[in-house]
Amino acid sequence: MAEERYGTWQRWSEERLRLRAIVEFLRHKTVPIHRYSFVYYFGGITLFLFLVQVITGILLLLYYRPSADAAYESVQFIMSKVRFGWLIRSIHSWSANLMVGWVFVHMFSTFFYRAYRRPREFTWVSGALMLFLTLAFAFTGYLLPWNKLAFFATKVGTEIAGDVPLVGKYVMLLLRGGEDVTEATLSRFFGIHVAILPALATVILGIHLALVQVHGMSRPISVRAEREISFYPDFLLRDLAVWILVLALLGTLATLYPWPLGEKADPLAPAPPGIKPEWYFLFMFQTLKLLPSKIFLFEGEMVGIMAFLVGGLVLLLVPFLDVWAQREQQNRWVTTLGILAVAYLVIMTILGLALPAM
Amino acid sequence: MESAERRITRRTFLDYLLGAGLLGLAGIVLYPLTRYLIPPKVTEVTGGSVIAAKVGELAPNSGKIFPFGGKPAILINTPDGQLRAFTAVCTHLACTVQYRPDLAHIWCACHDGHYDLRGQVISGPPPRPLEEYQVTVKGDNIIVSRKG
Amino acid sequence: MRSQTFLRNSLRHSAALRALLRAILFFVLLIVGSPSPSVAQQESCVTCHQALEGRLAAPVKGMDADVHAKRGLSCSSCHGGDPKRIGMDAMDPRAGYLGTPKPSEVPAFCGRCHSDPAYMRRYNPRIRTDQVAEYRTSVHGQRLVRGDTKVATCTSCHGVHPVRAVSDPRSPVYATNIPTTCGRCHADPAYMKGYGIPTDQLAKYKRSIHGEALLQRGNRLAPACNGCHGNHGAVPPGVESVANVCSVCHSATRDLFVKSPHKVAFDRMGLPECSTCHGNHEVARPTDEMIGTGPEAFCTRCHEPGSKGLAAAQAMRASLEALKSRLAEAETLVAKAANAGVEMSDARLTLQEAQTRLIQARNVIHSFNPKQVEAVTTEGLKFAEKGVAAGKAGLAEVQFRRRGLSIALVILVGTAILLFLKAREIERQKM
């Protein structure tokens, strides 16, 4: 009797939702197990951190007020008066930073194992777009508490955008919503942070995840799988376990090292000495600082920014540029290039942290 | 047979534990979330303003200290019934000032600093006048905000 | 037009040509009986003195910034003479020409207008007209009468050509410039030789709390030399008037002091009131060490060990210290909780109240009545206690968070392990 009803329900839902195909697909999907299998968790961790951002972000929206005289106070209010507000806000900040870091880790592991080769080119491209989105999320979100450090870091950051040749001035004007960083910038950044970027992220993340599911896990070149486990439930259970551990890490960081709010921004005050952008933009900041003021006939900053734009484009097109990987070959030069990129990012970031800003 | 039975018990035990764990997980995630959703009691209208008092709470020729932006502020009702608000931090040594009905002006007890009903220094050691705030009466509330 | 400008510019650059031009101008002015209307407006004093050099030209150069000139007065308004006449003829004593007053004549010279209320009212209805009268009572004024021309007269302090308004920050008697202006003479040992008074007042004043307030922080309400000595009637305040002088600002302290047993004792011993402990030119920021029986305490200077007075001093100091230590304890707790991420702004407000009581108690010391001091510190202690409680509550909140975290961690890590085990088991079953 019960079985029959279950059958009816299944038939009823199948007729309307066509879920069986998905369930069947997931049941037959397998994950290869080999000594590099741990990298398969990296994307999942990034996804989890993103979900944490979405949930805590929505929660923060309940009390946050995006205006120059209320933003700082509302975050203060969240942290002091709202029960567990300190936790939500602190997790949002910590998770944001971990996410930016982890996106890079995920990207480089994908790169070094050539997971972008045929047929996964567009998985990579969508992933690279997500990297840009993540940085945009971080950049816009950083200003929202309207504290002194964020205010001046945003000033510096948007100034850098202003150095892009030809369109720079307009980009800066568009970003700032005026000539200078003001309340208008706060409104814009808020809108970008909670509406535009989430909309874009949903679409691109959807494509990214769908492609990952369709193509399954990539096996690194010349690595033989010891065995395979099914994606559902075996791999998913492990994934879930890792997620829970990440949540534990987030809770610990948020409780023991609450993210500070700092002082309220005063647009009229002089910039405090030693203003630096957040650590994930330090490599750009440091590079632009180290460049000479003139390179041939061009301004050093402009050349640097052009180089970053070209770098971004190269990153986006990696699967199409690495023709060896398409032939299932590991080119040593591509690997070297990747290592150089990592070394460059790490060294510049460390230099940026260690050297005084002015 | 016995080993199979043991395996089954072990499995069910694991399942029970896992169920309890997931339940606990739901608890520790949902508890802070629901507590967070319950709005706390508020006195602030916007970031730069605060409800200092209710209309009628302050008789003419009296004053009231209230917190504003983490610092004490003073709301006074002048003898002729005008509401004014100032920072209550004396400009001399940062003591909290008070309203003196007998003198009909603001006074700092620490070193006998006197301020008039506009916050200007009358006498005593204070070097600067008290910063004045904006007072708005909206419905039943006396709202004090920073002057723009 | 342009060539004229060019000519004028090039002339200006040549000293020889300038001298020549001056000579020609002088002659032209002498020969031409009736000067052109513009020259007449300019007055002959200016026309001639402008063309002269050094000391004789200086008054004209300074007149642009002069407050008198700005109000429409001219050279002859003070120095007499007839500016309509040309050359030396303008300085005819019969036309009321006075020339440069001797130092001993300066007060009367300025006083012709400045002591005339009816005249001064036309320019500034609020201006004082008693400066010369006051000056005559000052040490400067009295010595001047006796023939000492080294003393300060009006122009010594206010300057001359230009005489700037007192409200002009460039005036030597603008609030923040007064100490250096007085110091020009009083801090110069060579100049002050023979007067038998010290010359370290300016240096001491600069180190004092008043000097710091005026010169470092630019608080124009802080007393400069004239705040205590008076300006036009400058004399050192006498023993009996010290407290009155200080109480112009420090009224609360004075009110307490006059009711205290010290008032009677100081009067009897002929001690000045405030400055006995606080000094005069070098009034320092008072410390709590000044009261009590310690090495820096002032009380032991007069009071014998074991006397009632020292017991009172000790009691007052103890009250202060009790409040201070409790307040420090509360501040540490609150800071600790705040550092751990708990919002403590309400607690800080309470501590601010305790701090207010502490500052108040320091003032009440001047009653020299331990009970009065204790009354204030007890009130302060109540706030400090509240602060301690708030700090402890804050730290309890930190503990609550950490306990919550440890429970959560047990559940999270436990569940993660269980999930791994479950996954392994499912796999094993399949094999």
Side-chain angles (χ1 to χ4, degrees), chain B residues 11 15 25 94 96 110 112 127, chain C residues 251 352-353 363 422 425 429:
Chain B
R11 202 175 80 200
D15 283 345
L25 182 72
T96 306
C110 287
D112 203 27
Chain C
S251 46
Q352 156 90 16
E353 285 306 306
N363 190 35
K422 179 79 188 165
E425 195 188 77
Q429 274 177 331

Side-chain angles (χ1 to χ4, degrees), chain C residues 25 70 94 113 126 153 156 180 254 268 372 431:
Chain C
L25 187 77
K70 282 183 184 161
R94 281 168 297 173
C113 297
R126 284 176 40 165
T153 63
S156 316
T180 9
R254 152 89 183 171
R268 202 171 47 219
Q372 246 175 295
M431 279 199 288

Side-chain angles (χ1 to χ4, degrees), chain A residues 199-249:
Chain A
L200 289 174
T202 309
V203 173
I204 299 174
L205 182 63
I207 294 171
H208 192 73
L209 290 179
L211 287 174
V212 167
Q213 290 307 319
V214 168
H215 294 305
M217 298 300 191
S218 159
R219 198 169 32 74
I221 294 169
S222 71
V223 166
R224 193 175 295 158
E226 295 155 18
R227 61 200 164 86
E228 289 189 330
I229 59 169
S230 60
F231 180 76
Y232 176 85
D234 303 24
F235 186 76
L236 208 59
L237 280 178
R238 287 158 190 261
D239 231 4
L240 207 62
V242 172
W243 288 15
I244 291 170
L245 289 179
V246 173
L247 184 65
L249 175 70

Side-chain angles (χ1 to χ4, degrees), chain B residues 60-77:
Chain B
N61 197 25
S62 68
K64 179 198 176 184
I65 301 283
F66 61 96
F68 183 37
K71 293 224 164 73
I74 187 166
L75 176 71
I76 60 168
N77 194 350

Side-chain angles (χ1 to χ4, degrees), chain A residues 114 192 196 303 310-311 318:
Chain A
R114 309 289 198 280
I192 295 170
I196 298 173
V303 174
V310 171
V318 157

Side-chain angles (χ1 to χ4, degrees), chain A residues 33 41 76 79-81 83-84 86 227 229-230 232-235 237-238 240-242 244-245 247-249 251-253 255-256 258, chain C residues 339-346 397-398 400-402 405 408-409 411-413 415-417 419-420 422-424 426-428 430-431:
Chain A
I33 296 292
Y41 295 105
Q76 208 171 33
M79 287 170 70
S80 59
K81 297 280 167 11
R83 283 299 282 163
F84 290 106
W86 58 274
R227 61 200 164 86
I229 59 169
S230 60
Y232 176 85
D234 303 24
F235 186 76
L237 280 178
R238 287 158 190 261
L240 207 62
V242 172
I244 291 170
L245 289 179
L247 184 65
L249 175 70
T252 310
L253 288 172
T255 311
L256 298 185
Chain C
N339 280 341
V342 183
E343 241 300 316
M344 298 303 291
S345 61
D346 292 348
E397 167 71 13
V398 175
F400 166 77
R401 288 179 188 182
R402 299 207 166 153
L405 172 70
L409 280 182
I411 295 174
L412 288 169
V413 175
T415 314
I417 292 170
L419 279 170
F420 268 122
K422 179 79 188 165
R424 264 240 309 267
I426 290 172
E427 249 175 79
R428 245 195 230 127
K430 278 187 191 158
M431 279 199 288

Side-chain angles (χ1 to χ4, degrees), chain C residues 24-33 35 39 47-48 86:
Chain C
I24 293 169
L25 187 77
F26 201 76
F27 267 96
V28 168
L29 287 170
L30 277 178
I31 293 159
V32 180
V39 175
T47 330
C48 293
I86 303 300

Side-chain angles (χ1 to χ4, degrees), chain C residues 348-363:
Chain C
R348 291 225 161 95
L349 227 57
T350 312
L351 291 185
Q352 156 90 16
E353 285 306 306
Q355 182 69 31
T356 296
R357 297 305 183 283
L358 176 62
I359 293 170
Q360 204 180 337
R362 284 176 177 146
N363 190 35

